[in-house]
Amino acid sequence: MTDAAAATPEPASALSQDELNRLTDQLIEKLKTVYDPEIPVDIYELGLIYKVDVSDDKDVAIEMTLTAPGCPVAGEMPGWVKDAVMEIPGLKSCAVDLVFDPPWDSSRMSDEAKLQLNMF
């Protein structure tokens, strides 16, 4: 007696590792085009991007934060991020959610961002 589920192989991921690597590079490139207007450093280097998920169907889900909850561009920044990401050919959708836990602090910044802001 065979179990039909056990006999059915798991479907392979729609994204190969090479394609996922390429897409990751493109996502980082696009995220680096979005800047906090009050700080001359892109949101990626500032450490505002907490999580990026890409589904096999090329739906992108991003969790990000702001340098402060009262940031004047809080209502606009997710749209800027979505617009930048959706410039990547072949993506189906992009959802950007603002999260404030954990709160952002300067330790999340890259060395490049700290250098740009003279914080060493």
Side-chain angles (χ1 to χ4, degrees):
M1 188 182 247
T2 28
D3 184 340
T8 307
E10 288 292 315
S13 171
L15 297 177
S16 69
Q17 190 60 50
D18 285 344
E19 187 175 11
L20 187 57
N21 291 344
R22 181 186 51 77
L23 194 50
T24 298
D25 291 343
Q26 290 176 315
L27 284 163
I28 292 170
E29 180 182 319
K30 290 300 181 183
L31 291 170
K32 286 183 165 203
T33 67
V34 181
Y35 284 76
D36 182 320
E38 297 177 339
I39 304 171
V41 177
D42 68 79
I43 62 170
Y44 184 82
E45 296 298 337
L46 278 175
L48 298 181
I49 303 299
Y50 283 1
K51 183 177 179 182
V52 178
D53 284 329
V54 180
S55 75
D56 288 343
D57 294 328
K58 294 189 179 179
D59 294 301
V60 177
I62 297 173
E63 287 184 8
M64 66 171 292
T65 195
L66 302 169
T67 54
C71 179
V73 295
E76 299 169 62
M77 183 87 66
W80 298 344
V81 172
K82 179 180 178 178
D83 290 346
V85 166
M86 287 307 295
E87 291 176 5
I88 299 171
L91 291 185
K92 186 175 174 187
S93 69
C94 178
V96 180
D97 291 318
L98 283 178
V99 297
F100 295 98
D101 186 28
W104 180 87
D105 66 52
S106 61
S107 69
R108 296 184 172 276
M109 294 169 54
S110 69
D111 287 345
E112 180 181 318
K114 290 176 183 175
L115 187 62
Q116 283 182 281
L117 297 173
N118 207 18
M119 294 180 71
F120 277 109

